[in-house]
Amino acid sequence: MAPPLPTILLLLMASFFIPTHTHLDSTDQAFTSLVISQQGLDFLKDLLTSKAVSSIISLKLPRIEKTVEIPFLGNVHMVLWNITINEVGVGSSYIKPGDTGIAMIASGMTCNMSMNWHYSYSTWLFPFVVSDEGGASIGVEGMEVGLTLDLEIQEGTLKLSLVDCSCVVKEISIILDGGTSWLYQGMFDAFEEQIGSAVENAVTKQLKEGILKLDSFLQALPKEIPLDDTASLNATLVNDPLLSNSSIGFEINGLFTPRKQVLVPKFYDKDSQPLVSCGNSSKMLGISLDEAVFNSMSALYFNAEFMKWIVDTIPDQSLLNTAGWKFIVPQLYKKYPNDDMNLNISLSSPPVIRISEHHTIDVTVYADLVIDVLEAGESIPVACISLVIRASGFVKISGNNLAGSVKLKDFTMSLKWSNIGNLRMYLIQPMMWTVIQTVFLPYANSRLGKGFPLPIVHGFTLQNAALICSNSRVTVCGDVTYTE
């Protein structure tokens, strides 16, 4: 049986963020924040109310029996069974954050139900048992369902505590069918209170069981979002949820960590900043990422030795032969005439990413370029040039991923060492520009174009998303759609 309305609601609310696998306590810093606005909560409420209706339909109530003594007839035994909710309507519903949790109320609900009935009695007037049976339809009006939950973070996951849970039925009508039902309608009207109580108990029990299952589900969630074989996104929840009268906010560690380790780099720091700010936007969801998130990814891939390339093919292949350097570095051609070459590029430190309040992202890359000559099957390093590459970055939304690209602004170069004498940097600079533009940047952009996942559960998709770059932060503000 599908879980009832509040269970589905909280499950999907909780699934807007996915905690990760690291051993952090509540004092650890948060580098990513997520806020579900009132518009987002209303979207969930509308979506999940319709799901709740389908989950309550077909809910069966316990069998009800009653024996009454009627003058002249004696003891009459009446039984109701197969009591089933067939249709549910919701007049209005709302969800509202409170001081420490959330409250949800669905009111003006109606239920159409069906059941089977049977009665039997014996009397001194007749020497045999009289019985009859048939079906009946039941109408429930003015039902109200509500619950209140406390939210807190325990060991990086969301802990739910049920504070209050209730279901109230205000009015019930029973219409018997079959047999000589018209004769016994009045007797079965006496079951209205028992049926109402059975509905209230069944729905309340369903809610409590659903919350317990949901809490167990949240505690068992995997605490890691794998990016690839090397990196994982640490989205461990830190600190308690931040609740206002129109939103729920969560703070997430958000740094990238190695897949084979659970240690979070400790060299990142940031000033205390408020949660996501989407201005006067009416977007459902806001996700804010500190520049430390991007720098943690940069450091991780650098430490994993991913930022090394051997370039043996470029658009102008003549530049990978000493003959192409005949007039640029004559001594190279003289010592190794007409030999093929490789360019061995490696970063000397992690790229540094800075997000400014002027809506720009600056990237600084420190790299060493070693010129290798291929002679007799041997790779001979002949010179090393240090590069400082400055680029401007751009971010974009690709599905539920945050992707990006970079454009070259400028670069500087200096000779680090040489086995072929001094090199004239101004002559080599055009060749370096070509290598950076045609090799380095396309490779970097192919990686950045894939992006990394934002903390949004599978099934939900960002749409109409806007990106805001502010001082040391990138903020994504958008709506969401849901697909089964």
Side-chain angles (χ1 to χ4, degrees):
M1 180 179 295
L5 171 100
T7 300
I8 302 175
L9 170 69
L10 291 168
L11 175 61
L12 293 179
M13 278 182 57
S15 296
F16 258 123
F17 47 85
I18 306 175
T20 106
H21 189 59
T22 44
H23 301 296
L24 300 173
D25 58 40
S26 60
T27 63
D28 281 359
Q29 284 186 299
F31 298 90
T32 297
S33 59
L34 181 150
V35 169
I36 304 174
S37 68
Q38 186 63 56
Q39 290 81 4
L41 295 175
D42 289 340
F43 168 79
L44 285 174
K45 180 260 299 178
D46 293 339
L47 169 67
L48 302 170
T49 297
S50 64
K51 290 182 173 295
V53 168
S54 62
S55 72
I56 295 175
I57 290 174
S58 301
L59 182 64
K60 291 187 180 296
L61 276 59
R63 178 187 182 100
I64 299 175
E65 298 187 41
K66 188 174 186 180
T67 300
V68 297
E69 184 176 346
I70 300 178
F72 303 109
L73 291 180
N75 292 328
V76 179
H77 185 64
M78 296 175 287
V79 180
L80 309 182
W81 83 96
N82 196 26
I83 308 171
T84 307
I85 297 176
N86 298 318
E87 187 178 355
V88 177
V90 179
S92 62
S93 61
Y94 73 87
I95 179 172
K96 200 70 176 176
D99 292 336
T100 60
I102 60 171
M104 179 168 180
I105 300 292
S107 58
M109 297 180 67
T110 60
C111 290
N112 291 329
M113 306 168 62
S114 62
M115 71 174 185
N116 295 109
W117 59 268
H118 172 84
Y119 84 91
S120 63
Y121 67 89
S122 59
T123 177
W124 57 271
L125 293 174
F126 307 104
F128 52 84
V129 175
V130 179
S131 65
D132 202 354
E133 63 182 24
S137 59
I138 305 171
V140 177
E141 300 285 341
M143 184 169 75
E144 184 173 290
V145 176
L147 61 80
T148 304
L149 288 170
D150 268 351
L151 309 178
E152 60 179 329
I153 305 303
Q154 289 188 1
E155 298 182 355
T157 60
L158 182 64
K159 174 68 177 176
L160 305 180
S161 300
L162 183 62
V163 176
D164 185 45
C165 179
S166 64
C167 175
V168 177
V169 173
K170 295 183 178 179
E171 184 179 343
I172 284 185
S173 60
I174 303 173
I175 301 176
L176 301 182
D177 300 313
T180 55
S181 56
W182 58 270
L183 183 60
Y184 316 109
Q185 179 71 53
M187 291 189 295
F188 281 94
D189 286 343
F191 281 91
E192 290 180 0
E193 184 175 344
Q194 285 180 271
I195 294 174
S197 179
V199 171
E200 293 171 351
N201 292 337
V203 172
T204 301
K205 179 182 178 182
Q206 191 88 337
L207 293 176
K208 290 180 178 179
E209 291 178 352
I211 296 303
L212 289 175
K213 291 178 181 178
L214 176 58
D215 184 58
S216 297
F217 168 80
L218 293 174
Q219 301 304 310
L221 277 175
K223 299 179 181 180
E224 183 177 272
I225 304 177
L227 183 62
D228 51 31
D229 291 339
T230 301
S232 293
L233 180 63
N234 172 9
T236 303
L237 298 175
V238 297
N239 304 319
D240 285 331
L242 301 177
L243 298 101
S244 72
N245 59 3
S246 61
S247 66
I248 301 178
F250 300 93
E251 294 182 304
I252 306 169
N253 179 274
L255 298 180
F256 285 84
T257 59
R259 287 293 301 275
K260 296 181 180 180
Q261 302 178 32
V262 295
L263 295 177
V264 178
K266 297 298 184 182
F267 49 84
Y268 298 106
D269 199 4
K270 70 180 185 72
D271 297 329
S272 177
Q273 298 190 43
L275 283 178
V276 182
S277 175
C278 291
N280 297 322
S281 170
S282 59
K283 300 297 186 181
M284 299 176 186
L285 186 68
I287 303 172
S288 181
L289 300 94
D290 191 86
E291 66 184 23
V293 173
F294 304 94
N295 284 314
S296 71
M297 180 170 60
S298 168
L300 188 151
Y301 283 102
F302 174 81
N303 292 332
E305 299 184 347
F306 269 78
M307 297 183 178
K308 296 181 179 180
W309 307 272
I310 294 179
V311 179
D312 56 9
T313 302
I314 60 176
D316 187 357
Q317 194 65 20
S318 65
L319 292 177
L320 291 182
N321 188 283
T322 55
W325 294 56
K326 183 175 181 179
F327 301 106
I328 301 174
V329 187
Q331 63 269 35
L332 173 64
Y333 176 72
K334 183 176 181 180
K335 188 172 183 178
Y336 303 100
N338 202 33
D339 282 331
D340 288 332
M341 301 164 56
N342 281 338
L343 302 179
N344 192 336
I345 302 174
S346 63
L347 270 60
S348 54
S349 63
V352 178
I353 300 169
R354 292 287 180 261
I355 303 170
S356 75
E357 58 186 355
H358 302 295
H359 296 245
T360 60
I361 300 176
D362 295 318
V363 183
T364 305
V365 178
Y366 301 90
D368 289 336
L369 185 148
V370 176
I371 302 171
D372 292 332
V373 174
L374 305 179
E375 186 177 62
E378 183 181 358
S379 179
I380 304 171
V382 296
C384 178
I385 298 172
S386 292
L387 299 169
V388 179
I389 303 169
R390 285 173 286 273
S392 58
F394 304 89
V395 289
K396 63 179 181 179
I397 296 296
S398 178
N400 285 347
N401 283 12
L402 186 64
S405 62
V406 291
K407 290 178 61 177
L408 180 63
K409 292 174 64 176
D410 60 62
F411 71 94
T412 59
M413 50 192 295
S414 60
L415 183 63
K416 192 170 185 178
W417 56 263
S418 172
N419 294 331
I420 52 174
N422 190 34
L423 305 182
R424 298 177 181 178
M425 293 293 103
Y426 70 92
L427 294 177
I428 299 176
Q429 187 173 18
M431 187 273 294
M432 287 292 103
W433 182 277
T434 299
V435 170
I436 293 171
Q437 287 281 37
T438 62
V439 178
F440 181 78
L441 290 184
Y443 177 83
N445 285 331
S446 69
R447 303 282 294 184
L448 294 172
K450 298 176 183 178
F452 61 85
L454 294 167
I456 300 175
V457 74
H458 178 74
F460 287 89
T461 303
L462 273 173
Q463 67 171 12
N464 303 323
L467 287 164
I468 303 171
C469 292
S470 58
N471 186 23
S472 77
R473 277 187 163 192
V474 171
T475 300
V476 180
C477 300
D479 296 326
V480 292
T481 59
Y482 178 71
T483 305
E484 293 285 355

Coordinates of all heavy atoms in Angstrom, one line a residue, residues 228-275:
D228 N 32.5 10.7 -9.9 CA 33.1 9.7 -10.8 C 33.9 8.8 -9.9 O 33.7 8.7 -8.7 CB 34.0 10.4 -11.8 CG 35.0 11.4 -11.2 OD1 35.4 11.2 -10.1 OD2 35.3 12.4 -11.9
D229 N 34.9 8.1 -10.5 CA 35.7 7.1 -9.7 C 36.6 7.8 -8.7 O 37.1 7.2 -7.8 CB 36.5 6.2 -10.6 CG 35.6 5.3 -11.4 OD1 34.4 5.0 -11.0 OD2 36.0 4.8 -12.5
T230 N 36.8 9.1 -8.9 CA 37.8 9.8 -8.1 C 37.1 10.7 -7.0 O 37.6 10.7 -5.9 CB 38.6 10.8 -9.0 OG1 39.3 10.0 -10.0 CG2 39.6 11.6 -8.2
A231 N 36.0 11.3 -7.3 CA 35.5 12.4 -6.4 C 34.1 12.1 -6.0 O 33.3 11.4 -6.8 CB 35.6 13.7 -7.1
S232 N 33.7 12.5 -4.8 CA 32.4 12.5 -4.3 C 32.0 13.9 -3.8 O 32.9 14.6 -3.3 CB 32.2 11.5 -3.2 OG 32.3 10.1 -3.7
L233 N 30.8 14.2 -3.9 CA 30.3 15.5 -3.3 C 29.8 15.2 -1.9 O 28.9 14.4 -1.6 CB 29.2 16.0 -4.1 CG 28.6 17.4 -3.6 CD1 29.6 18.5 -3.7 CD2 27.4 17.8 -4.5
N234 N 30.5 15.9 -0.9 CA 30.1 15.8 0.5 C 29.0 16.8 0.8 O 29.2 17.9 1.0 CB 31.4 16.1 1.3 CG 31.0 16.2 2.8 OD1 29.9 15.9 3.2 ND2 31.9 16.6 3.6
A235 N 27.8 16.3 0.8 CA 26.6 17.1 1.1 C 26.0 16.8 2.5 O 24.9 17.0 2.7 CB 25.5 16.9 0.0
T236 N 26.9 16.5 3.4 CA 26.5 16.2 4.8 C 25.8 17.4 5.3 O 26.3 18.5 5.3 CB 27.7 15.8 5.7 OG1 28.3 14.7 5.1 CG2 27.2 15.5 7.1
L237 N 24.6 17.3 5.9 CA 23.9 18.4 6.6 C 24.6 18.7 7.9 O 25.0 17.9 8.7 CB 22.5 18.0 6.9 CG 21.6 17.6 5.6 CD1 20.3 17.1 6.1 CD2 21.5 18.8 4.7
V238 N 24.8 20.0 8.0 CA 25.4 20.5 9.3 C 24.5 21.6 9.9 O 23.8 22.3 9.2 CB 26.8 21.1 9.0 CG1 27.8 20.0 8.5 CG2 26.8 22.3 8.0
N239 N 24.6 21.7 11.2 CA 23.7 22.6 12.0 C 22.2 22.2 11.8 O 21.9 21.3 11.0 CB 23.9 24.0 11.5 CG 25.4 24.4 11.7 OD1 26.1 24.1 12.6 ND2 25.9 25.1 10.7
D240 N 21.4 22.8 12.6 CA 20.0 22.5 12.5 C 19.3 23.2 11.4 O 19.8 24.3 10.9 CB 19.3 22.8 13.8 CG 19.6 21.8 14.9 OD1 19.8 20.7 14.6 OD2 19.6 22.2 16.1
P241 N 18.2 22.7 10.9 CA 17.4 23.4 9.8 C 17.1 24.8 10.3 O 16.8 25.1 11.5 CB 16.2 22.6 9.6 CG 16.5 21.2 10.1 CD 17.5 21.5 11.3
L242 N 17.1 25.8 9.4 CA 16.7 27.1 9.6 C 15.3 27.4 9.1 O 15.1 27.3 7.9 CB 17.7 28.1 9.0 CG 19.2 27.9 9.5 CD1 20.1 28.8 8.7 CD2 19.3 28.2 11.0
L243 N 14.4 27.6 10.0 CA 13.0 27.8 9.6 C 12.5 29.2 9.8 O 12.7 29.8 10.8 CB 12.1 26.8 10.4 CG 12.4 25.3 10.2 CD1 13.2 24.8 11.4 CD2 11.1 24.5 10.0
S244 N 11.8 29.7 8.8 CA 11.1 31.0 8.9 C 9.6 30.7 8.7 O 9.2 29.5 8.5 CB 11.6 32.0 7.9 OG 11.2 31.6 6.6
N245 N 8.8 31.7 8.6 CA 7.4 31.5 8.4 C 7.1 31.3 7.0 O 5.9 31.0 6.6 CB 6.6 32.7 8.9 CG 7.0 34.0 8.2 OD1 7.8 34.0 7.3 ND2 6.4 35.1 8.7
S246 N 8.1 31.3 6.1 CA 7.8 31.0 4.7 C 8.9 30.2 3.9 O 8.9 30.1 2.7 CB 7.6 32.4 3.9 OG 8.8 33.1 4.0
S247 N 9.8 29.5 4.7 CA 10.8 28.7 4.0 C 11.5 27.8 5.0 O 11.3 28.0 6.2 CB 11.9 29.6 3.4 OG 12.6 30.3 4.4
I248 N 12.1 26.8 4.5 CA 13.0 25.9 5.3 C 14.4 25.9 4.6 O 14.5 25.7 3.4 CB 12.4 24.5 5.3 CG1 11.0 24.5 5.9 CG2 13.3 23.6 6.1 CD1 10.4 23.1 5.9
G249 N 15.4 26.2 5.4 CA 16.7 26.2 4.9 C 17.6 25.1 5.5 O 17.4 24.7 6.7
F250 N 18.5 24.6 4.7 CA 19.5 23.6 5.2 C 20.9 24.0 4.8 O 21.1 24.6 3.7 CB 19.2 22.3 4.5 CG 17.8 21.8 4.8 CD1 16.7 22.0 4.0 CD2 17.5 21.0 6.0 CE1 15.5 21.6 4.3 CE2 16.3 20.6 6.3 CZ 15.2 20.8 5.4
E251 N 21.8 23.7 5.7 CA 23.2 24.0 5.4 C 23.9 22.7 5.2 O 23.8 21.7 5.9 CB 23.9 24.7 6.6 CG 23.3 26.1 6.8 CD 24.0 26.8 8.0 OE1 24.0 26.3 9.1 OE2 24.5 27.9 7.7
I252 N 24.8 22.7 4.1 CA 25.4 21.4 3.7 C 26.9 21.7 3.6 O 27.3 22.8 3.2 CB 24.9 21.0 2.3 CG1 23.3 20.9 2.3 CG2 25.5 19.7 1.8 CD1 22.7 20.8 0.9
N253 N 27.7 20.7 4.0 CA 29.2 20.9 3.9 C 29.6 21.2 2.4 O 30.2 22.2 2.2 CB 29.9 19.6 4.3 CG 31.4 19.8 4.2 OD1 32.0 19.5 3.2 ND2 32.0 20.2 5.3
G254 N 29.2 20.4 1.5 CA 29.3 20.8 0.1 C 30.6 20.6 -0.6 O 30.7 20.8 -1.8
L255 N 31.7 20.3 0.1 CA 33.0 20.2 -0.5 C 33.2 18.8 -1.2 O 32.4 17.9 -1.0 CB 34.1 20.3 0.6 CG 34.2 21.6 1.3 CD1 35.4 21.6 2.3 CD2 34.4 22.8 0.4
F256 N 34.1 18.8 -2.1 CA 34.4 17.5 -2.8 C 35.5 16.8 -2.0 O 36.4 17.3 -1.5 CB 34.9 17.8 -4.2 CG 33.8 18.2 -5.2 CD1 33.4 19.5 -5.3 CD2 33.2 17.3 -6.0 CE1 32.4 19.9 -6.1 CE2 32.2 17.6 -6.8 CZ 31.8 19.0 -6.9
T257 N 35.3 15.5 -2.0 CA 36.2 14.6 -1.2 C 36.6 13.4 -2.1 O 35.9 13.0 -3.0 CB 35.6 14.1 0.1 OG1 34.4 13.4 -0.2 CG2 35.3 15.3 1.0
P258 N 37.8 12.8 -1.8 CA 38.2 11.6 -2.6 C 37.2 10.5 -2.3 O 36.7 10.3 -1.2 CB 39.6 11.3 -2.1 CG 40.1 12.6 -1.4 CD 38.8 13.3 -0.9
R259 N 37.0 9.6 -3.3 CA 36.1 8.5 -3.1 C 36.6 7.5 -2.1 O 35.9 6.8 -1.4 CB 35.9 7.8 -4.5 CG 35.0 8.5 -5.5 CD 33.6 8.6 -5.0 NE 33.0 7.3 -4.8 CZ 32.4 6.5 -5.7 NH1 32.4 6.9 -7.0 NH2 31.9 5.3 -5.4
K260 N 38.0 7.4 -2.0 CA 38.6 6.3 -1.2 C 38.9 6.9 0.2 O 39.4 6.2 1.0 CB 39.8 5.8 -1.8 CG 39.6 5.1 -3.1 CD 40.9 4.6 -3.7 CE 40.6 3.8 -5.0 NZ 41.9 3.3 -5.6
Q261 N 38.5 8.1 0.5 CA 38.8 8.7 1.8 C 37.5 9.4 2.3 O 36.6 9.7 1.5 CB 39.9 9.7 1.8 CG 41.2 9.1 1.3 CD 42.3 10.1 1.3 OE1 42.3 11.0 2.1 NE2 43.2 10.0 0.3
V262 N 37.4 9.7 3.5 CA 36.3 10.5 4.1 C 36.7 11.8 4.7 O 36.0 12.4 5.4 CB 35.5 9.6 5.1 CG1 34.8 8.5 4.4 CG2 36.3 9.1 6.2
L263 N 38.0 12.1 4.6 CA 38.5 13.3 5.3 C 38.2 14.5 4.4 O 38.4 14.5 3.2 CB 40.1 13.2 5.4 CG 40.5 12.1 6.4 CD1 42.1 12.1 6.4 CD2 40.0 12.3 7.8
V264 N 37.7 15.5 5.1 CA 37.4 16.8 4.4 C 38.6 17.7 4.5 O 39.1 17.9 5.6 CB 36.1 17.4 5.0 CG1 35.8 18.8 4.3 CG2 34.9 16.5 4.9
P265 N 39.0 18.4 3.4 CA 40.1 19.3 3.6 C 39.8 20.4 4.6 O 38.7 20.9 4.6 CB 40.2 19.9 2.2 CG 39.6 18.9 1.3 CD 38.6 18.2 2.1
K266 N 40.8 20.7 5.4 CA 40.6 21.7 6.5 C 41.1 23.1 6.2 O 41.1 23.9 7.0 CB 41.3 21.2 7.8 CG 40.7 19.9 8.3 CD 39.3 20.0 8.7 CE 38.8 18.7 9.3 NZ 37.3 18.8 9.7
F267 N 41.7 23.2 4.9 CA 42.3 24.5 4.6 C 41.3 25.5 4.0 O 41.7 26.5 3.5 CB 43.5 24.3 3.7 CG 43.2 23.4 2.5 CD1 42.6 23.9 1.4 CD2 43.5 22.1 2.5 CE1 42.4 23.1 0.3 CE2 43.3 21.3 1.5 CZ 42.7 21.8 0.3
Y268 N 40.0 25.1 3.9 CA 39.0 26.0 3.4 C 38.4 26.8 4.5 O 38.1 26.2 5.6 CB 38.0 25.3 2.6 CG 38.5 24.6 1.4 CD1 38.7 23.2 1.4 CD2 38.9 25.2 0.3 CE1 39.2 22.5 0.4 CE2 39.5 24.6 -0.8 CZ 39.6 23.2 -0.8 OH 40.1 22.5 -1.8
D269 N 38.2 28.0 4.3 CA 37.5 28.9 5.3 C 36.7 29.9 4.6 O 36.9 30.2 3.5 CB 38.6 29.6 6.2 CG 38.0 30.0 7.5 OD1 36.8 29.7 7.8 OD2 38.7 30.7 8.3
K270 N 35.7 30.4 5.3 CA 34.8 31.4 4.7 C 34.2 32.2 5.8 O 34.1 31.8 6.9 CB 33.7 30.7 3.9 CG 32.7 30.0 4.7 CD 31.6 29.4 3.8 CE 30.5 28.7 4.6 NZ 29.6 29.7 5.2
D271 N 33.8 33.4 5.4 CA 33.1 34.3 6.3 C 31.7 33.8 6.5 O 31.1 33.2 5.6 CB 33.1 35.7 5.8 CG 34.5 36.3 5.7 OD1 35.4 35.9 6.6 OD2 34.8 37.1 4.9
S272 N 31.1 34.1 7.6 CA 29.7 33.7 7.8 C 28.8 34.5 6.9 O 28.9 35.7 6.8 CB 29.3 34.0 9.3 OG 27.9 33.7 9.5
Q273 N 27.9 33.8 6.2 CA 27.0 34.5 5.2 C 25.6 34.0 5.4 O 25.4 32.9 5.9 CB 27.5 34.2 3.8 CG 28.9 34.8 3.5 CD 29.1 34.7 2.0 OE1 28.3 35.0 1.2 NE2 30.3 34.3 1.6
P274 N 24.6 34.7 5.1 CA 23.3 34.2 5.2 C 23.0 33.1 4.2 O 23.8 32.8 3.3 CB 22.4 35.5 4.8 CG 23.3 36.3 4.0 CD 24.7 36.1 4.5
L275 N 21.9 32.4 4.4 CA 21.5 31.4 3.5 C 21.2 32.0 2.1 O 21.4 33.1 1.8 CB 20.3 30.6 4.0 CG 20.6 29.6 5.1 CD1 19.3 29.0 5.6 CD2 21.5 28.5 4.7

